[in-house]
Amino acid sequence: MKHTVTERFLRYVTIDTQADPESNSSPSTEKQKNLSNLLLKELKDIGVKAETDDYGYVYGYIPSNVDHPTDSIFFCSHVDTAPDCSGKDVKPILHKAYQGQDIVLPDDPEQVIKLKDYPYLRDKVGEDIITASGLTLLGADDKSGVAVIMDMAQQLANNPEIKHGDIIILFTTDEEVGQGVAHVNYDKIKCDYGFTLDGGPRGEYCEETFSADAAVIEIKGVAAHPGYAKGKMESAIKIAAKIIDTLPKEYLAPEATDGSGGFIHPGKIVAELEAARIDFILREFDTSRLSHLAEHLRTISDKVLQQFPHSSYTLTIKEQYRNMKDIVSAMPRIKKIAYMAMEQAEIQPHQSMIRGGTDGSVLSANGLPCPNLFTGMQAIHSKHEYISVQDMEKAVQTVLNICQIVAAPSLIES
Ligand SMILES: [Zn+2]
């Protein structure tokens, strides 16, 4: 099999598609459409029926080539890159047959990808590694997923002997600013289930994400002339500060938790003497525990406000997304197919939990179970981002195997 994934990846990363969290438009940056339009053209060139829309989403349709019914599936990745680090003028560098050395990035020699910081590199000795040049991120998140899906489409077109059911391709914009599937037209992706290609190390399979709520505390204090405030003033600034200071520090804090631990995280505070507002995010894997976090916040606030008898506060909770595990694991064949596909590609599958959300969380909640698969991306959202060519090729083989297993229902039942 002659892969196109690397050649595609090296081209796609040079197109700046950085998303902008401050923007009110969709997509948040027009330039994301530059890649969407290229993908649309390339899909059509391959012979895939495809379309794009005002949001820069790309939909592609590959009809079944077998005459029995099969599951219909989709593959999804996002064209945008993170706001955390520049994605302009990305210069990808291919380090052939990596030998285990620290990698100094030439455009800023202070940027060194060190083996001791990134132990996964140890597994990559002998493989070909792609990095950026030191001034930008690489954009493997998620142009590796895009390139993997495009190579899959190419391979299916070149090799009609590969049997598959109906396949839909979805490329989204603005995933990095939490709007990845906000404008999906669900009529266009009517499938049984699908996969995002937006994961890390080879073999990674993820059907567990955080469940997430947003919490807002709005405080009303009592203003007074500071020169004559004795016994009158109740500063909303000080109330807000006290609430933050009373939050748990050794647990339920992002800087103190990993693995399956959840947290309460104050992300923003706007405060004046008379009024203050604190924006929190609440995160837990176990959805039922989210309400405990909200209660915790309420208990803390009540206690603080007791010291300010003429002030008041409100706490508002808003649902953000839910752990997709309940939805995905209700259809056990999805994981079975993914694991079989990886084993056929001589990959050891392993399950991991995402301490965040994915487009798949939202798609799953909307009736499209959608776990996440590896592409190989590492050190994402940073200048140290890197990816192995061989990991991307394994991801292509995995998705092609998924297509073939889905087309052979007897394989899944056995
Ligand atoms: Zn991503």
Side-chain angles (χ1 to χ4, degrees):
M1 182 166 290
K2 198 180 169 317
H3 281 291
T4 63
V5 66
T6 303
E7 171 272 318
R8 289 178 186 281
F9 178 77
L10 293 171
R11 274 191 297 118
Y12 300 159
V13 296
T14 63
I15 300 169
D16 180 8
T17 56
Q18 191 178 39
D20 176 7
E22 305 296 330
S23 162
N24 291 319
S25 53
S26 295
S28 64
T29 51
E30 251 336 88
K31 60 189 176 186
Q32 295 178 54
K33 289 186 180 171
N34 295 339
L35 180 52
S36 300
N37 290 332
L38 176 68
L39 295 170
L40 179 72
K41 182 185 173 297
E42 291 190 3
L43 280 172
K44 286 181 173 170
D45 288 348
I46 293 170
V48 175
K49 191 177 149 225
E51 59 186 308
T52 187
D53 63 14
D54 291 345
Y55 306 107
Y57 291 10
V58 179
Y59 300 86
Y61 306 93
I62 304 175
S64 171
N65 63 1
V66 295
D67 49 19
H68 56 268
T70 70
D71 289 343
S72 52
I73 59 174
F74 66 94
F75 294 102
C76 172
S77 55
H78 61 93
V79 300
D80 60 308
T81 61
D84 315 54
C85 185
S86 170
K88 191 171 178 294
D89 301 324
V90 173
K91 281 196 270 168
I93 301 170
L94 179 62
H95 308 261
K96 285 212 161 176
Y98 172 64
Q99 290 306 310
Q101 74 281 18
D102 291 347
I103 303 172
V104 181
L105 300 179
D107 288 345
D108 178 2
E110 306 241 301
Q111 298 292 338
V112 183
I113 304 177
K114 292 183 181 146
L115 202 58
K116 74 170 177 35
D117 298 331
Y118 303 104
Y120 185 67
L121 273 176
R122 239 175 265 288
D123 300 344
K124 301 293 110 188
V125 172
E127 297 184 12
D128 306 321
I129 304 287
I130 303 170
T131 68
S133 64
L135 302 178
T136 65
L137 51 62
L138 175 61
D141 179 8
D142 184 20
K143 285 163 182 167
S144 58
V146 173
V148 165
I149 293 170
M150 289 298 291
D151 194 12
M152 173 201 76
Q154 179 86 67
Q155 302 300 339
L156 291 176
N158 292 357
N159 302 282
E161 70 280 7
I162 300 178
K163 296 299 171 205
H164 59 81
D166 286 329
I167 298 166
I168 291 178
I169 291 170
L170 171 63
F171 297 129
T172 62
T173 50
D174 280 340
E175 192 269 355
E176 298 291 2
V177 292
Q179 295 294 305
V181 287
H183 303 287
V184 159
N185 184 337
Y186 285 90
D187 289 337
K188 291 188 190 292
I189 50 165
K190 281 199 174 123
C191 286
D192 292 298
Y193 48 88
F195 302 88
T196 46
L197 273 292
D198 198 10
R202 186 184 300 191
E204 184 179 73
Y205 170 86
C206 175
E207 58 178 26
E208 272 212 75
T209 60
F210 270 145
S211 279
D213 281 347
V216 178
I217 290 182
E218 284 177 288
I219 300 158
K220 253 198 190 137
V222 180
H225 185 296
Y228 306 92
K230 189 172 177 187
K232 290 192 204 107
M233 184 194 283
E234 295 183 3
S235 163
I237 297 172
K238 290 185 178 170
I239 297 170
K242 224 166 201 160
I243 289 173
I244 305 266
D245 192 50
T246 314
L247 290 173
K249 297 178 181 70
E250 310 294 331
Y251 63 100
L252 290 186
E255 61 272 31
T257 37
D258 57 8
S260 60
F263 55 75
I264 300 170
H265 171 58
K268 188 177 177 183
I269 176 163
V270 180
E272 289 177 347
L273 179 56
E274 202 168 13
R277 172 188 165 120
I278 318 171
D279 286 73
F280 297 88
I281 59 170
L282 313 180
R283 299 290 185 264
E284 280 286 2
F285 282 98
D286 179 349
T287 307
S288 69
R289 288 186 52 81
L290 274 178
S291 58
H292 297 277
L293 299 187
E295 268 328 294
H296 204 80
L297 215 42
R298 192 180 301 282
T299 308
I300 288 171
S301 307
D302 283 344
K303 213 170 144 199
V304 169
L305 266 290
Q306 276 172 13
Q307 302 159 45
F308 301 90
H310 304 289
S311 301
S312 62
Y313 81 99
T314 56
L315 170 63
T316 316
I317 305 290
K318 202 172 142 222
E319 179 174 323
Q320 291 184 312
Y321 57 84
R322 289 294 176 257
N323 189 341
M324 62 175 140
K325 184 181 171 35
D326 299 342
I327 295 152
V328 177
S329 57
M331 216 189 260
R333 68 179 182 280
I334 301 175
K335 181 177 171 184
K336 187 174 173 187
I337 290 165
Y339 271 46
M340 276 174 77
M342 287 196 239
E343 281 156 8
Q344 285 178 5
E346 295 174 340
I347 300 165
Q348 180 76 46
H350 62 271
Q351 199 157 330
S352 73
M353 298 159 99
I354 297 182
R355 289 179 60 79
T358 67
D359 280 350
S361 325
V362 181
L363 292 170
S364 297
N366 283 293
L368 290 168
C370 183
N372 189 34
L373 296 174
F374 77 95
T375 69
M377 64 175 81
Q378 296 292 315
I380 56 172
H381 301 196
S382 80
K383 292 175 183 169
H384 291 176
E385 194 179 10
Y386 70 91
I387 194 163
S388 144
V389 166
Q390 284 74 13
D391 280 353
M392 288 198 289
E393 292 181 352
K394 284 289 184 189
V396 177
Q397 290 158 23
T398 298
V399 293
L400 285 169
N401 290 343
I402 288 175
C403 296
Q404 294 179 85
I405 295 167
V406 168
S410 61
L411 267 181
I412 308 165
E413 281 146 28
S414 64

